[in-house]
Amino acid sequence: MPKEYPIDKLRNIGVIAHIDAGKTTTSERILYYTGRTYKIGEVHEGAATMDYMVQEQERGITITAAATTCYWRDVQINLIDTPGHIDFTVEVQRSLRVLDGGVVVFDAVAGVEPQSETVWRQADRFGVPRICFVNKMDRVGASMERTVDMIIDRLAAKPLVMNLPVGLESDFTGVIDLLNMQYMTFSGEKGEVMNAAPVPEKYLDAANKAREKMIETAAEVDDGLLEKYLAGVTPTIDELKSAIRKGTISQHYFPVFCGSALKNRGVQLVLDAVADYLPSPLDVKPVVGINPKTGEEVTRHPDVTEPFAALVFKVINDPTGMGKMAFFRVYSGTVGQGDTVFNPGKGRQERMTRLYRMHANKREAIADISAGNIGVTLGLKDSITGDTLCDLQSQVTLENISFPDPVVKLAIEPKTMTDQDKMGRALRALTDEDPTLHVASDEETGQTTLAGMGELHLDVIVDRMKREYGVEVRVGKPSVAYRETITRPAHARHRFVRQSGGKGQYGDVELEIEPAGKGLGFVFENKIVGGTIPKEYIPAVEKGIRETLDGGIIAGYPMVDVKVKLVDGSYHEVDSSEMAFKIAGSMAIKDAVAKAGGIILEPMMKVEVVVPEDYTGTVVGDLNSRRGMIESLEKRGNAQAVRSHIPLSEMFGYATDLRGMTQGRGNFVMEFAYYSELPRNLVDELLHGKSTTKDGKK
């Protein structure tokens, strides 16, 4: 049975970064040095403990967030290794929602890359304190100084430099620990032995200056330390640690360490920093929820004596066939194996059949789990990602987790009739696991469409359907998830009247519409006064409008960022019905959109291409031909990084094209940036293409 640590000795942390910065390699070293594993699994060999999915091992990337528990000094670390690829951003988002701290890994050659910025902003949104690890100091072109400057410029963050590298690239031998003013080297078969020596003479001047700056920055959050510093008194190590902990938890600054995870140098100092500077559950704000019965705010503290409250942040299907495994973070109270809890969102009781602590894809059974901890349960029937579990007698609903909308979709169909039912079961299971995966049925063609965060995301889903669920499917070409919106206010009134012998149908609706703010989706306001439409028919009007907008009005794509005001109407005492008002609302919104300057929006992607300098001109020319807007060119060692915004529709198959242009030496990353108006000539093409498809199917 795993040992229970007091709550002030818990650290719930995530390892987050851009793809290929070395997150999983760093996580593997953490597991090894903490004694959690007895050999280091390497990503490039497909043997990493935390990358346990077949798809991860084959591709050498992290796809799903893997959780484990390990111990360093007197601290229990609940660690989640997250993906770096933007297509799997759901894993980062839901992990950050329940974590108290983070280790952000940067590539010392590339510095702050696009996905580094994305995960940093996500951590900002959730208020997660972080420490930074500048990895790959042994690589050609590595620069600690440049990476620190990029943290300031690109992330608008204040770094607190804690290490200096000794030697660079192939000459990188160790780090100078500025806190203790020691030169740290790492020996033994896997760098497990730390050796402390005096700072080499040639680095002493730079180290003294860096330590002075570190003390000055650390003192900004501690008046006592600041007084000492201004008086010229050297603070003690404990005083410095206390101040740095305070500044880290308040996110006033972010301690920065350096090393090479692959070469086993510097990771133990990061572990020390996790124990010394990142918060326990007691150091972060208590969680606030809503009482579902009264609507009042409820605060739950990380205390085992308070009523039980937890948030389900991830659901996966147990590969052994024992049902759904739900990962949850306990915010207050304790829950035991076999206990019954309540899901206020579903209004149902759930039984915690079994409780586990995870180690990647292996489980350790536990009898109970208390406030501050992360655990897994088997047996939940109705609970999904974002649901609250709580005490039936003391109910609370915690804030849900929001996820981005998918931007790429493709059509799939089963190869045989046998695969038909299996496909349905597989899609239900996969959408339960992944809230960014959307499944829909095209009413015109009868096709099933999968929508996700990118080509790689959908490729992995199709691969999982085949391997895990035995479903063979035919796959169409990826297509873009366009949107529709309006550009100006408009007004419309529609009266729906139908007489057919017996009781007729009557609904009369008057609407005003206007553009809503970006990202607001659909906003409905009821401005009816004097009962011109009875209250019981208002929801039907809203439903008719919502369904029509979701189905699209211009070209069949969902219409977003529209504010609709229901301002007037009339009813008939005998003939009015919910159905009549639903139809009237639907027809009125169509009339209004026709007057409101409807446009089609296309997803724009933030793209960064890194190529050897010789190919820069060719790559930039190609990006321009794809309707790209070049934002900047930046020198990175002997390569150029080209940053741009490009329509998603122009980026399908780009990986192959880039390989051809650069003889396989270029690489790129992209992520969704925003929606932009589709040019008029392309709207005509899109509409013509859609109408041709429709006519061809008729």
Side-chain angles (χ1 to χ4, degrees):
M1 188 70 68
K3 179 186 172 185
E4 279 296 319
Y5 278 62
I7 195 165
D8 65 319
K9 297 297 183 184
L10 292 184
R11 301 288 183 271
N12 295 311
I13 68 163
V15 182
I16 55 178
H18 183 93
I19 189 169
D20 207 30
K23 294 176 310 306
T24 302
T25 303
T26 303
S27 298
E28 291 297 317
R29 269 63 187 174
I30 288 174
L31 298 186
Y32 181 75
Y33 296 137
T34 57
R36 195 67 180 80
T37 56
Y38 297 99
K39 72 182 187 68
I40 293 176
E42 300 293 8
V43 175
H44 56 272
E45 294 170 357
T49 305
M50 302 299 270
D51 284 352
Y52 58 84
M53 287 174 65
V54 176
Q55 291 85 354
E56 294 177 314
Q57 293 165 359
E58 287 179 350
R59 297 162 197 258
I61 61 170
T62 302
I63 291 171
T64 184
T68 191
T69 300
C70 54
Y71 308 92
W72 183 251
R73 297 188 343 213
D74 59 345
V75 167
Q76 174 183 320
I77 301 171
N78 297 322
L79 180 143
I80 296 181
D81 175 33
T82 66
H85 199 288
I86 188 63
D87 282 18
F88 310 107
T89 187
V90 58
E91 297 289 341
V92 184
Q93 205 143 320
R94 59 184 171 193
S95 299
L96 285 172
R97 170 69 174 78
V98 298
L99 293 172
D100 301 323
V103 177
V104 187
V105 181
F106 296 101
D107 181 328
V109 180
V112 177
E113 298 171 273
Q115 182 65 356
S116 309
E117 293 182 52
T118 302
V119 296
W120 191 273
R121 306 281 174 240
Q122 288 173 325
D124 279 343
R125 190 162 80 250
F126 291 115
V128 177
R130 280 141 278 168
I131 58 177
C132 305
F133 178 53
V134 181
N135 190 27
K136 303 190 179 184
M137 291 302 304
D138 58 307
R139 290 269 305 276
V140 175
S143 170
M144 172 84 165
E145 190 176 347
R146 185 180 66 241
T147 304
V148 169
D149 287 342
M150 290 173 81
I151 290 172
I152 298 168
D153 296 337
R154 289 211 180 152
L155 305 179
K158 179 178 282 191
L160 180 71
V161 176
M162 302 293 294
N163 288 170
L164 291 182
V166 174
L168 282 177
E169 302 176 354
S170 59
D171 296 328
F172 174 64
T173 56
V175 300
I176 295 169
D177 172 8
L178 295 176
L179 184 74
N180 297 292
M181 278 302 276
Q182 292 175 329
Y183 168 39
M184 305 299 298
T185 55
F186 305 86
S187 59
E189 189 184 349
K190 298 291 183 183
E192 63 273 17
V193 180
M194 289 195 290
N195 311 295
V199 176
E201 187 69 35
K202 65 183 285 191
Y203 292 98
L204 199 53
D205 194 37
N208 281 326
K209 285 178 183 173
R211 189 173 198 269
E212 188 76 10
K213 188 174 181 184
M214 181 199 77
I215 295 171
E216 183 184 341
T217 305
E220 291 173 1
V221 297
D222 189 302
D223 291 341
L225 189 61
L226 186 61
E227 281 180 24
K228 271 194 167 187
Y229 172 74
L230 294 173
V233 178
T234 304
T236 65
I237 300 295
D238 286 343
E239 287 172 335
L240 274 173
K241 279 186 175 180
S242 174
I244 294 169
R245 180 176 176 78
K246 190 188 296 184
T248 305
I249 291 172
S250 66
Q251 297 167 70
H252 183 81
Y253 44 67
F254 302 89
V256 181
F257 298 82
C258 67
S260 168
L262 187 63
K263 295 294 174 67
N264 309 310
R265 293 169 194 156
V267 176
Q268 293 98 320
L269 297 180
V270 175
L271 276 167
D272 282 340
V274 168
D276 290 334
Y277 308 133
L278 288 181
S280 77
L282 296 175
D283 297 313
V284 296
K285 290 179 182 175
V287 70
V288 176
I290 300 293
N291 183 321
K293 294 179 178 176
T294 65
E296 295 175 354
E297 279 197 355
V298 179
T299 302
R300 289 290 170 83
H301 299 86
D303 189 331
V304 294
T305 64
E306 289 206 2
F308 172 70
L311 184 76
V312 177
F313 67 93
K314 177 172 174 164
V315 172
I316 63 173
N317 288 286
D318 178 36
T320 62
M322 295 177 69
K324 286 194 300 191
M325 292 170 58
F327 289 69
F328 61 98
R329 159 76 188 261
V330 182
Y331 286 97
S332 63
T334 302
V335 68
Q337 183 172 301
D339 285 358
T340 298
V341 297
F342 187 67
N343 180 332
K346 300 289 192 297
R348 297 180 67 105
Q349 293 189 39
E350 294 268 31
R351 192 159 181 269
M352 312 287 265
T353 311
R354 293 177 185 167
L355 293 176
Y356 298 101
R357 186 169 287 154
M358 294 302 292
H359 175 48
N361 60 339
K362 296 181 175 63
R363 301 188 289 242
E364 295 174 344
I366 51 178
D368 54 45
I369 184 161
S370 57
N373 269 295
I374 290 171
V376 171
T377 184
L378 272 175
L380 300 187
K381 296 277 192 292
D382 301 296
S383 300
I384 58 172
T385 298
D387 281 356
T388 300
L389 302 174
C390 64
D391 190 308
L392 178 61
Q393 306 306 321
S394 185
Q395 294 180 23
V396 63
T397 302
L398 304 178
E399 184 186 348
N400 208 322
I401 310 172
S402 59
F403 299 107
D405 290 328
V407 292
V408 178
K409 61 182 178 181
L410 51 77
I412 60 167
E413 60 181 36
K415 282 189 177 178
T416 66
M417 289 301 292
T418 314
D419 288 318
Q420 181 77 51
D421 289 341
K422 288 199 289 185
M423 187 176 91
R425 285 195 296 272
L427 290 176
R428 278 193 296 276
L430 290 166
T431 49
D432 272 354
E433 287 189 19
D434 186 348
T436 60
L437 180 67
H438 293 194
V439 178
S441 182
D442 189 309
E443 291 179 11
E444 288 184 6
T445 63
Q447 282 183 319
T448 299
T449 57
L450 277 182
M453 300 308 296
E455 287 182 90
L456 179 61
H457 182 203
L458 295 178
D459 186 35
V460 167
I461 291 295
V462 170
D463 190 48
R464 288 188 62 196
M465 287 174 68
K466 180 179 178 180
R467 295 200 201 206
E468 294 175 29
Y469 299 94
V471 184
E472 295 285 350
V473 294
R474 294 188 189 92
V475 180
K477 285 185 177 178
S479 60
V480 176
Y482 293 100
R483 296 284 186 268
E484 301 174 6
T485 193
I486 57 173
T487 56
R488 57 179 179 264
H491 169 273
R493 183 164 192 154
H494 191 93
R495 183 178 290 134
F496 175 71
V497 183
R498 181 169 293 168
Q499 295 296 334
S500 55
K503 184 184 174 187
Q505 294 281 359
Y506 183 96
D508 179 20
V509 168
E510 184 176 351
L511 303 175
E512 291 177 358
I513 67 172
E514 62 185 67
K518 273 190 178 180
L520 290 180
F522 167 55
V523 181
F524 179 79
E525 282 189 15
N526 175 19
K527 295 289 188 180
I528 294 292
V529 290
T532 53
I533 299 177
K535 284 182 181 176
E536 61 266 29
Y537 296 137
I538 304 296
V541 175
E542 182 179 354
K543 187 176 182 185
I545 295 169
R546 186 185 293 275
E547 287 181 0
T548 303
L549 293 178
D550 286 347
I553 296 173
I554 304 165
Y557 299 107
M559 184 162 276
V560 296
D561 302 338
V562 178
K563 185 174 186 178
V564 180
K565 296 177 186 174
L566 177 59
V567 294
D568 202 3
S570 64
Y571 72 103
H572 189 282
E573 288 189 0
V574 177
D575 291 346
S576 284
S577 66
E578 287 188 5
M579 180 55 70
F581 273 101
K582 181 181 174 185
I583 294 170
S586 174
M587 302 303 284
I589 194 67
K590 286 180 181 177
D591 294 346
V593 168
K595 305 171 187 174
I599 58 172
I600 295 177
L601 301 172
E602 63 176 341
M604 299 291 290
M605 310 304 284
K606 183 162 51 169
V607 180
E608 181 174 284
V609 187
V610 180
V611 292
E613 287 195 32
D614 297 351
Y615 302 102
T616 306
T618 307
V619 167
V620 169
D622 179 71
L623 294 177
N624 284 326
S625 73
R626 295 171 187 267
R627 297 193 285 132
M629 295 176 288
I630 308 298
E631 287 204 309
S632 67
L633 276 80
E634 180 184 286
K635 192 168 174 60
R636 295 233 182 115
N638 58 359
Q640 284 279 355
V642 185
R643 292 161 72 94
S644 59
H645 285 108
I646 305 177
L648 174 61
S649 59
E650 305 285 350
M651 291 301 292
F652 291 122
Y654 183 66
T656 304
D657 295 343
L658 182 64
R659 276 198 296 271
M661 280 184 282
T662 62
Q663 297 183 347
R665 295 171 65 194
N667 62 72
F668 80 103
V669 290
M670 72 175 182
E671 62 177 291
F672 172 73
Y674 55 87
Y675 273 96
S676 176
E677 182 176 352
L678 186 68
R680 186 73 243 175
N681 63 314
L682 295 177
V683 171
D684 294 337
E685 272 182 40
L686 188 67
L687 293 175
H688 179 69
K690 283 183 77 72
S691 63
T692 303
T693 306
K694 288 176 185 175
D695 294 343
K697 293 286 177 186
K698 283 180 181 174

